[in-house]
Each structure stands twice: as C-alpha cells, then as structure tokens.
Amino acid sequence: MTQPKSIKASLGFRKLSAGDVVARANAVLDGLYTGKDDYPDPPVDQATLKAQIDALSGGITAALDGGKKAVAAREHLKEVVIKSLGQLGHYVEANCKDDMPTFLKSGFQPISTTRTPAAPLSESFRKIAPGRNSGQMEVTLVSQQDALSYQLRWAPVGPGGTPENWTERPVGRAKQAALVTGLTPGTAYAFQVRAVTDAGYTDWSESVTRICT
C-alpha cells in the first residue's frame, strides 16, 4: 500500500511584502482556529496572532512616509508574524494527518510537489507584482490578437468584495509592465483590462485582485 506523501506548508514568507504577509496571516487566523477538532492546541493562540497582525498593519501605515525608523519597525513586526506563522505551519503539518482537506482548513498553502511552468494569472494578465516603492504595482498584460493598445483600470475592493471608484489609464504595449502608482498599501485592488481594436473596445476582462504593499 502506497503511503501518502507528507504535506508541507509553504513558509517562504520572508520573500513576501509586509502586506502579503498580513493577507496570509489573516487566512490562517480565519481558518486554523475554527478547526478545533483538527487543531485543538496551536502553539500560538488566536488572540496573540491577531494582535501581531494588527500591529503589522499599523506598522505598514506608519511606514508610508518612508522614514527609516518606521520602515525598520515595520520589518521587525513582519518578522514577528513570520515566526508565529512558522510555528503554526509546522504544527499544522504534524496534525493534518497528511489529509489535504484537513490541511487546507488551516488557511496555509501547501508546497506543490510538481513543477509546472509559470502560467499567466488569467487570460488577460500575465503578472501583477509590487513595484519598487510602496503604493505601486507593476501590471503585465497578455497580448491579445488585433489589439492596437489597451485600457487598464483598477479600484479598491469595498465591502462584500465589490470594486469601487475605478481609475483608468491607457497602456500602449502588452510586453512592458505598466506601473500603477498612488495606491494605498494594505488595500486589496481589483484590476481589469480591455483591448482597443479597429472595431472599438473589447469587453472588460474578469478581475484579478492583489493587495498593494
């Protein structure tokens, strides 16, 4: 009888922005502590993790002006959350009984055991990544046949997951990333694009959501 492969949690949080660490930690906060039968005694309690997440969120806001002390404080608070997630991730690995549905209840993401080529985010977006500075995102489009140029739009995601107050800008080429600036760190944004063709505009694409850092 073939033994199931051990499930390992993805714990490479240091490569992520502080905003993405908050998003991952919130997923664990919403998942792990509701599964009392599967995870009865986590090494970091719910209140402690929530307090750490709240502190990091505040640190992100405080570091918006780019001050060295505020940025250093944000990175320290990020490291505190990362250490807690590391403890919780190993706890989940040991208690999920190598059952994927049980593992996924925790809010952690598993490490894939198969290597696949990097795929576009959607039919319209190849990549959406943080820019060099806080409040920026670099958006790379998938080239569309017959497109003369593109229109990109984005909006913060409001209550209920509905984007509000779209901002638009033209994008000339799909091969070069478009830099979106003036975003609010820690806020989730929906991105959509449409092509400009000889026949007019195409429909707006489906939204892809990312948290700004």
Side-chain angles (χ1 to χ4, degrees):
M1 184 176 178
T2 303
Q3 292 292 326
K5 292 183 178 180
S6 296
I7 300 173
K8 296 297 182 182
S10 177
L11 300 176
F13 300 113
R14 288 183 177 85
K15 296 182 292 184
L16 302 179
S17 66
D20 283 344
V21 169
V22 167
R24 295 285 190 90
N26 274 323
V28 173
L29 186 69
D30 293 339
L32 176 63
Y33 300 98
T34 60
K36 299 292 186 181
D37 293 338
D38 299 307
Y39 305 112
D41 190 26
V44 180
D45 63 66
Q46 185 175 10
T48 297
L49 182 61
K50 185 180 187 307
Q52 292 172 352
I53 294 170
D54 290 345
L56 176 54
S57 296
I60 292 171
T61 301
L64 291 179
D65 62 359
K68 289 184 178 180
K69 288 185 177 179
V71 170
R74 180 196 66 197
E75 292 306 298
H76 170 72
L77 293 167
K78 174 184 172 183
E79 186 65 24
V80 170
V81 174
I82 288 173
K83 287 182 178 178
S84 290
L85 291 177
Q87 295 179 56
L88 291 168
H90 291 308
Y91 170 77
V92 168
E93 291 172 350
N95 288 272
C96 70
K97 302 179 178 64
D98 290 325
D99 176 66
M100 185 59 75
T102 301
F103 175 86
L104 293 174
K105 289 179 186 178
S106 69
F108 280 98
Q109 298 180 3
I111 294 176
S112 175
T113 56
T114 59
R115 292 187 179 182
T116 56
L121 295 177
S122 70
E123 293 182 355
S124 302
F125 292 98
R126 186 167 301 282
K127 185 179 181 181
I128 301 177
R132 292 185 177 181
N133 299 318
S134 182
Q136 298 181 347
M137 298 293 282
E138 293 184 352
V139 182
T140 307
L141 307 177
V142 174
S143 180
Q144 300 182 36
Q145 189 175 7
D146 300 328
L148 303 175
S149 62
Y150 303 87
Q151 274 195 318
L152 173 67
R153 72 177 185 177
W154 59 93
V157 178
T162 303
E164 301 174 342
N165 302 320
W166 291 98
T167 300
E168 296 184 15
R169 61 160 286 186
V171 177
R173 301 174 60 187
K175 292 183 179 180
Q176 187 171 359
L179 181 64
V180 176
T181 61
L183 305 180
T184 303
T187 299
Y189 285 85
F191 292 86
Q192 293 182 344
V193 66
R194 64 180 177 180
V196 182
T197 69
D198 285 329
Y201 295 112
T202 63
D203 292 334
W204 288 107
S205 68
E206 292 186 5
S207 295
V208 173
T209 303
R210 287 290 182 271
I211 295 176
C212 180
T213 60

